Structures are given as structure tokens and as C-alpha cells.
């Protein structure tokens, strides 16, 4: 598949080198534009909707992470291109697909581009087809520990669970129950049922999902109208219920 790409880099020479490498060594990459700072990059991304952004870390008036913080729900992949290796952990935390060091190694560049292409092809294959839901229905009971004993709850009555430090908020149709257990506790307890961990903060009853909206991770809309974010690392788990 063709990848639509943008370069955000403040050094003109670095932009030229990357542009030439992409044209010569990376087939199927269409360069939509280039930006020399964060504001230009943000405008270009919002107007062009790229598949891939090559992003330098240090730029005038801010850095790459300032730019990404302005795009909380992104649908593009990121390849960092930088002369500094101390940003690798920050890049990982921002779900970067690849981290390239300057001067750019051509083999590594090709590898990075093909890695992103594989990601986008997989996403398109899943999201572009008519997905058939597995026969899923949450039937059973769960007990919620309370100070004076426990409460018995029908698993199917739960729409989603939300983490709140060492507590979990359990959302039903008309009320919320707060339990002094972590979300991981309920993830394990509900493992036999169709509940998917879609985010560090959310465990959702897949039976109640009525719509999925595309994005870097995207989001789901439940039958009660509630919209919840899906993290990029949890997207595949959610989609696995609809293959």
C-alpha cells in the first residue's frame, strides 16, 4: 500500500537528505509536505491526514512531544529521526513505531518504513472488511466485596469498569458502584466473559459495543451512548472479538 508521509524537521539539510532517501530507496511513499517547526507541522498534519510522520525531536519553540500532545487521538504512525538517543523512552511512551538516529542509515530507514506499512496494512485489513462478531454474551454472576459482606451482580449488567487508583468504578445502566479493588483484579475475575481491556483505565463489556471509531487506538461507543478511548496497544485485542 502507498504511505502518505510528512516530514517535520527544522534543519533544511536534514529534510533534503530524508526526502531524497525516501524517493530513492523507499517505494510507495508519497510525501505530502514538509514542516520546519511545531506549528507548521500541526497544521500540515491536520490538513493532510498522513499515514506516517517523520518527526525530529528538538525544534525551535518546543519539541516533538509538545506537538504530539496537541493531537491526543491520532491515526498516523511516527518515526522519530533525531541525533539524540536520550528521548527513546519518551518516544516509546508516545507509541512511536520506530526511532532512527542521525545520520540516517538507509537500511534502517527502509526497515522502519516497511514496519509502518505492515502496521497500516493490518489495520486496513481489519477495519475495511465486514467483521463478524463472535457469539458473545456475558452470562453469569460476580461478587463485589464490600465492608459489610459482598454484593452479587449479573455480569451482563456491567457496561464497563474504570480504574481509579486502587479502586474500580463499575458502571451499570443507571448507577455506578465503587469497589476497593484494582482494575486488574476485575480483569482477572471477568476473564471467562467477553470483557476486553481496551485501555489502562477501561475494561469493557464487548457485548455492549455498538460502534468502533478509527484512530491511533480509536474509540468504542457502547449501547448506552458512552464513548471510551482505545489505546494503540489494546486495539488488536478489541478487534479480535469481531473477526
Amino acid at each position: 500500500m502507498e504511505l502518505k508521509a510528512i516530514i517535520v524537521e527544522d534543519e533544511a539539510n536534514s529534510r533534503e537528505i530524508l526526502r531524497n532517501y525516501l524517493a530513492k530507496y523507499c517505494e510507495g511513499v508519497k510525501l505530502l509536505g514538509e514542516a520546519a517547526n511545531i506549528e507548521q507541522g500541526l497544521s500540515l498534519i491536520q490538513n493532510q491526514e498522513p499515514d506516517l510522520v517523520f518527526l525530529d525531536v528538538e525544534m525551535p519553540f518546543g519539541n516533538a512531544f509538545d506537538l504530539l500532545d496537541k493531537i491526543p487521538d491520532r491515526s498516523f504512525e511516527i518515526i522519530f529521526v533525531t541525533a539524540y538517543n536520550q528521548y527513546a523512552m519518551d518516544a516509546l511512551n508516545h507509541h512511536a513505531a520506530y526511532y532512527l538516529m542521525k545520520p540516517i542509515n538507509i537500511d534502517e530507514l527502509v526497515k522502519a518504513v516497511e514496519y509502518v506499512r505492515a502496521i497500516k496494512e493490518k489495520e486496513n485489513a481489519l477495519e475495511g472488511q465486514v467483521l463478524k462478531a463472535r457469539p458473545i454474551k456475558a452470562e453469569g454472576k460476580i461478587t463485589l466485596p464490600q465492608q459489610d459482606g459482598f454484593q452479587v451482580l449479573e455480569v451482563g449488567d456491567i457496561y464497563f469498569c474504570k480504574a481509579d487508583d486502587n479502586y474500580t468504578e463499575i458502571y451499570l445502566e443507571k448507577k455506578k458502584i465503587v469497589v476497593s479493588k484494582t482494575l486488574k483484579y476485575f480483569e482477572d475475575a471477568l476473564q471467562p466473559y467477553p470483557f476486553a481491556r481496551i485501555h489502562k483505565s477501561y475494561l469493557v463489556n464487548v457485548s455492549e459495543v455498538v460502534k468502533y471509531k478509527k484512530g491511533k487506538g480509536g474509540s468504542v461507543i457502547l449501547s448506552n451512548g458512552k464513548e471510551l478511548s482505545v489505546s494503540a496497544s489494546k486495539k488488536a485485542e478489541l478487534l479480535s472479538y469481531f473477526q
Side-chain angles (χ1 to χ4, degrees), residues 11-99:
E11 297 179 2
N13 183 57
S14 295
R15 291 198 303 272
E16 181 180 5
I17 290 172
L18 181 53
R19 183 194 319 130
N20 291 338
Y21 281 0
L22 289 172
K24 188 172 182 179
Y25 301 107
C26 300
E27 293 184 4
V29 176
K30 180 180 180 181
L31 193 59
L32 300 178
E34 301 175 15
N37 56 53
I38 289 174
E39 293 305 318
Q40 290 178 4
L42 180 62
S43 176
L44 197 56
I45 289 168
Q46 291 173 333
N47 291 329
Q48 296 293 337
E49 298 184 355
D51 301 309
L52 169 61
V53 174
F54 292 93
L55 190 55
D56 188 15
V57 175
E58 292 196 346
M59 289 177 283
F61 313 111
N63 61 34
F65 308 112
D66 297 323
L67 170 60
L68 295 176
D69 287 343
K70 296 181 180 181
I71 315 173
D73 185 23
R74 62 180 190 268
S75 59
F76 57 87
E77 297 295 332
I78 307 160
I79 295 178
F80 280 99
V81 185
T82 177
Y84 306 94
N85 60 13
Q86 66 263 35
Y87 297 109
M89 184 56 68
D90 286 329
L92 181 65
N93 290 337
H94 282 77
H95 302 292
Y98 221 91
Y99 194 91

Side-chain angles (χ1 to χ4, degrees), residues 49-199:
E49 298 184 355
D51 301 309
L52 169 61
V53 174
F54 292 93
L55 190 55
D56 188 15
V57 175
E58 292 196 346
M59 289 177 283
F61 313 111
N63 61 34
F65 308 112
D66 297 323
L67 170 60
L68 295 176
D69 287 343
K70 296 181 180 181
I71 315 173
D73 185 23
R74 62 180 190 268
S75 59
F76 57 87
E77 297 295 332
I78 307 160
I79 295 178
F80 280 99
V81 185
T82 177
Y84 306 94
N85 60 13
Q86 66 263 35
Y87 297 109
M89 184 56 68
D90 286 329
L92 181 65
N93 290 337
H94 282 77
H95 302 292
Y98 221 91
Y99 194 91
L100 291 175
M101 294 293 297
K102 297 177 182 177
I104 296 173
N105 178 285
I106 294 171
D107 290 338
E108 283 297 306
L109 173 63
V110 172
K111 183 178 178 181
V113 168
E114 291 308 311
Y115 181 74
V116 170
R117 196 191 312 276
I119 291 174
K120 302 304 292 186
E121 286 177 346
K122 183 176 181 181
E123 287 181 356
N124 289 344
L126 286 175
E127 296 168 2
Q129 61 181 301
V130 176
L131 300 177
K132 296 180 180 179
R134 289 172 10 198
I136 48 177
K137 191 173 182 180
E139 293 183 335
K141 298 180 186 291
I142 188 173
T143 59
L144 307 181
Q146 297 179 335
Q147 287 185 341
D148 59 349
F150 61 84
Q151 177 179 352
V152 180
L153 189 67
E154 290 285 346
V155 171
D157 291 341
I158 302 173
Y159 282 83
F160 69 97
C161 304
K162 181 181 178 181
D164 183 12
D165 291 328
N166 290 323
Y167 291 82
T168 297
E169 299 173 353
I170 298 177
Y171 287 81
L172 310 177
E173 184 175 7
K174 294 182 179 179
K175 66 177 181 178
K176 174 182 72 175
I177 302 173
V178 180
V179 183
S180 58
K181 294 288 186 180
T182 65
L183 188 60
K184 181 62 169 62
Y185 172 88
F186 285 102
E187 183 179 9
D188 293 339
L190 292 168
Q191 193 276 331
Y193 307 102
F195 280 77
R197 185 72 176 263
I198 63 168
H199 189 277

Side-chain angles (χ1 to χ4, degrees), residues 131-140 155-159 190-196 198 204-211 220-223 237-243:
L131 300 177
K132 296 180 180 179
R134 289 172 10 198
I136 48 177
K137 191 173 182 180
E139 293 183 335
V155 171
D157 291 341
I158 302 173
Y159 282 83
L190 292 168
Q191 193 276 331
Y193 307 102
F195 280 77
I198 63 168
V204 67
N205 183 349
V206 181
S207 303
E208 299 297 338
V209 173
V210 297
K211 185 176 182 179
V220 292
I221 297 178
L222 305 184
S223 60
E237 179 183 348
L238 170 69
L239 293 179
S240 71
Y241 282 90
F242 300 94
Q243 293 181 42

